[in-house]
Amino acid sequence: MPAAKIALSTASTYPESTPAAFEMAARLGYDGVEIMVWTDPVSQDPQALRRLVDYHGIPVLAIHSPCLLLTQRVWGTDPWGKLVRARAAAETLEAPTVVVHPPFRWQRDYGREFIAGIERMAQETDVRFAVENMFPLRARGREVSAYAPDWSPVEDGYRHVTLDLSHTSVSRSDALAMADALGDRLAHVHLADGSGSAKDEHLVPGRGNQPCAQLLERLAVSGFDGTVVVEINTRRAETRAQREADLAEALAFTRLNLAAPAAAASP
């Protein structure tokens, strides 16, 4: 089997709590969790997260810095301060990766310093700062980027990048070409699907038109040793059982397609 680990993003269980995400990840057989740092106090507290790791016996494999619109005041309002705290949480929990979005365009000073600042922080720790691909906004036939220096991290020289397949759907990007262009800089994957809508859908893999299976097979063949994170939207689930069914389906899809090339090569 490939060395890549499969994690459950705590965003996949929203609106349930961070402890509930650990419980589901452990019961369904995920290798670990990615913590979306948001308004849930437990997600912000490394010591509380450590207790959940110890209780459920599964590790935190990534920290997603609070850089969403709804988390603008989580861990303060200074974006660099948020990254420092995310790094400290990752180091405390022995998580190898911090996921970060590129700055919003209105964060002008942060945006101007972002590429150099991320490189500087990367030199100070073994934690990988993996900058995530986002997408442009479309309205009345126009395309506008809400991010600076760009919604796509491919050309900006970051050491490590997170590839999100729901976001490639919205941006109408070729996810496989993006992965090829990133090469060894591809350190982290957010696995979800999309239908090409302007809405960020985060569908269960296999329910949209993104090359989820093909990407996983390529990762397996290339010996990818990062983390594949299931980051799907289960908000419409009416019961815990429905939510867990989607999470289990996504995990089975991921394991099957990561193992497919290895299985095909076996005598």
Side-chain angles (χ1 to χ4, degrees), residues 118-255:
I118 287 291
E119 174 60 25
R120 185 168 56 250
M121 293 190 74
Q123 294 174 5
E124 299 171 352
T125 179
D126 291 332
V127 174
R128 299 178 295 189
F129 287 90
V131 181
E132 186 171 357
N133 63 302
M134 299 306 292
F135 46 83
L137 305 178
R138 295 187 180 88
R140 299 191 179 99
R142 297 183 59 194
E143 184 176 289
V144 178
S145 176
Y147 301 95
D150 195 5
W151 57 264
S152 170
V154 173
E155 303 297 332
D156 290 324
Y158 304 112
R159 290 190 186 193
H160 301 110
V161 172
T162 297
L163 179 59
D164 185 304
L165 272 73
S166 181
H167 296 174
T168 59
S169 175
V170 180
S171 66
R172 300 173 186 172
S173 304
D174 184 328
L176 298 179
M178 187 174 284
D180 288 344
L182 290 170
D184 291 342
R185 296 190 296 140
L186 176 57
H188 201 71
V189 173
H190 281 170
L191 191 69
D193 218 329
S195 65
S197 166
K199 179 182 177 181
D200 190 14
E201 298 171 290
H202 286 275
L203 303 177
V204 172
R207 297 185 186 178
N209 59 20
Q210 292 302 290
C212 297
Q214 296 95 316
L215 177 66
L216 291 170
E217 291 175 1
R218 287 195 185 189
L219 293 177
V221 168
S222 67
F224 179 74
D225 62 356
T227 304
V228 178
V229 180
V230 170
E231 191 183 68
I232 62 173
N233 185 346
T234 65
R235 296 176 195 176
R236 293 185 179 181
E238 296 180 357
T239 65
R240 168 70 71 86
Q242 290 178 354
R243 175 167 289 113
E244 289 194 358
D246 281 349
L247 299 176
E249 179 181 334
L251 176 60
F253 180 100
T254 307
R255 289 210 187 281

